[in-house]
Amino acid sequence: MSVHELNLPPDEPLPAFPLGQLQRWAEQRPLQIALRHRRRGVWKAWRWIDVQREVERLAAALREQGLEPGARLALCGAFEPTLLLLALAGQHLGARVLTVSRQAKGEALRRLLRQARPAFAYVQRRENVSDWLEAGDTSQPLRLFSAQAAARVRGAWQVLPLSVLLADEPAEALSLGWRQAAGAPLAWCDEGTEWRDGLGHILALWLKQGTGFAFPETSESASRDRREVAPAVLLLSEPRLQALAAEIDSRLAPPGSWRRRLCDWTLANPQQAPRRWIKARVRELLGFRRLQRILVGAPAPAASGPVWLSEYLERAA
């Protein structure tokens, strides 16, 4: 299994990624799709030239809001185009970009915010904005942007609508039908900032190799959305790897049944025809019919390795 690992310390910002790579892809592949995201049931797409323009627009808007080199920009939410574009815009200005788990609450969140000390933040969901307001030290200045939360002031904190950063009419993302969305090989990730190294992995694969990425509308719709785009590359954390292994296991017959024994027998006898049919069926159900590579954020322990994932997906390409 391919392993891609950055080994970022938990309280350190992301390493800087050369934005010259973005310019490279915008020049070499201006009209190729760089990002896909399902929004309100419709697949949207950003070409490489669109990504470059949006990063420049967001960087200009963040500069107007006071973001300076060395300032800390915290990001909290699901991985999707807006979060990625803000990360690149912050790095374009020389800010130190870091992520805060969207699952952290109460004292755990308080400790994370105390370590991060952000001056600017993008918090995706209103529920997380409320958690931040309860846990954060509002005596320290912070400009927090969110598309879902209403504008408000709490101490030295300002909660601002994301539209403040997009005062001009933003570039319209292309609308894609499901056939178009499934047309080209791409990488898939359905996690968020609870995966500490996740954003670094995505940026590395996306910018260094020019791999297009797709993201689901929500965590709940991930399986459905993944089936529509049928990714060629799967990027995930070790806990998500284990969860996917459990999902595959649930698609098979119950342990101890004759059908499950048949599955086990086909795995032990790769020359048998039923093996190919079972594997093809599982891949189709999970949206992995075109899967070629699995990239894991940290190696899974050998003793608890996801047997079904390895047998049914990785070796089936």
Side-chain angles (χ1 to χ4, degrees), residues 15-27 48 51-53 55-56 59 63 84-95 97 203 206-208:
F17 289 92
L19 293 180
Q21 291 291 338
L22 174 57
Q23 182 178 358
R24 172 191 173 189
W25 302 126
E27 291 175 353
W48 283 106
V51 170
Q52 183 183 40
R53 291 168 178 167
V55 168
E56 292 172 353
R63 185 185 296 112
L84 268 62
L85 295 173
L86 283 167
L88 293 184
Q91 291 198 339
H92 182 67
L93 296 177
V97 179
L203 292 178
W206 184 43
L207 292 182
K208 291 181 180 178

Side-chain angles (χ1 to χ4, degrees), residues 27-305:
E27 291 175 353
Q28 294 182 2
R29 309 173 180 177
L31 303 183
Q32 289 189 19
I33 303 302
L35 296 171
R36 296 183 178 91
H37 185 216
R38 187 166 187 156
R39 295 184 172 179
R40 298 181 181 178
V42 177
W43 283 104
K44 300 290 186 177
W46 289 256
R47 304 167 300 181
W48 283 106
I49 190 64
D50 299 326
V51 170
Q52 183 183 40
R53 291 168 178 167
E54 286 302 293
V55 168
E56 292 172 353
R57 288 161 59 87
L58 281 170
L62 285 168
R63 185 185 296 112
E64 289 181 2
Q65 290 293 320
L67 186 66
E68 299 177 346
R72 291 190 166 216
L73 170 63
L75 306 171
C76 176
F79 296 137
E80 46 81 34
T82 298
L83 192 144
L84 268 62
L85 295 173
L86 283 167
L88 293 184
Q91 291 198 339
H92 182 67
L93 296 177
R96 307 183 73 190
V97 179
L98 49 92
T99 57
V100 175
S101 172
R102 57 179 174 170
Q103 296 176 352
K105 302 179 184 296
E107 183 56 35
L109 178 58
R110 187 172 296 109
R111 286 196 303 270
L112 287 174
L113 294 178
R114 193 161 51 239
Q115 290 176 345
R117 305 186 309 279
F120 291 79
Y122 167 65
V123 181
Q124 201 172 66
R125 300 183 64 85
R126 65 171 60 89
E127 296 87 349
N128 291 120
V129 172
S130 298
D131 294 334
W132 278 51
L133 289 170
E134 292 177 6
D137 180 3
T138 56
S139 66
Q140 300 298 316
L142 174 68
R143 289 195 174 188
L144 188 157
F145 301 95
S146 177
Q148 294 189 354
R152 71 186 88 170
V153 176
R154 177 78 64 83
W157 282 26
Q158 289 182 280
V159 177
L160 301 168
L162 188 61
S163 58
V164 168
L165 299 179
L166 299 168
D168 298 327
E169 187 67 23
E172 179 66 22
L174 303 173
S175 295
L176 291 181
W178 72 268
R179 292 185 184 276
Q180 293 172 287
L186 48 84
W188 176 266
C189 185
D190 57 16
E191 303 195 56
T193 51
E194 66 277 3
W195 181 13
R196 175 172 58 84
D197 296 348
L199 182 56
H201 287 272
I202 292 172
L203 292 178
L205 184 60
W206 184 43
L207 292 182
K208 291 181 180 178
Q209 299 185 27
T211 302
F213 259 90
F215 306 94
E217 184 167 8
T218 66
S219 298
E220 293 75 20
S221 70
S223 294
R224 177 204 65 191
D225 297 342
R226 188 178 63 218
R227 285 194 295 272
E228 291 192 5
V229 298
V233 179
L234 177 63
L235 177 64
L236 72 174
S237 64
E238 193 274 334
R240 183 73 183 93
L241 181 76
Q242 299 294 336
L244 184 57
E247 183 179 355
I248 292 175
D249 190 71
S250 71
R251 298 279 184 172
L252 303 176
S257 67
W258 70 267
R259 289 183 299 167
R260 183 56 170 268
R261 288 195 294 272
L262 175 61
C263 291
D264 295 339
W265 178 78
T266 59
L267 290 177
N269 296 273
Q271 72 279 7
Q272 300 299 322
R275 173 188 173 102
R276 300 183 67 181
W277 181 86
I278 294 173
K279 292 169 74 170
R281 179 61 175 164
V282 172
R283 285 163 63 88
E284 182 71 27
L285 287 172
L286 293 172
F288 291 134
R289 61 185 179 275
R290 296 194 298 173
L291 190 66
Q292 299 173 8
R293 285 191 297 158
I294 302 171
L295 303 179
V296 186
S304 61

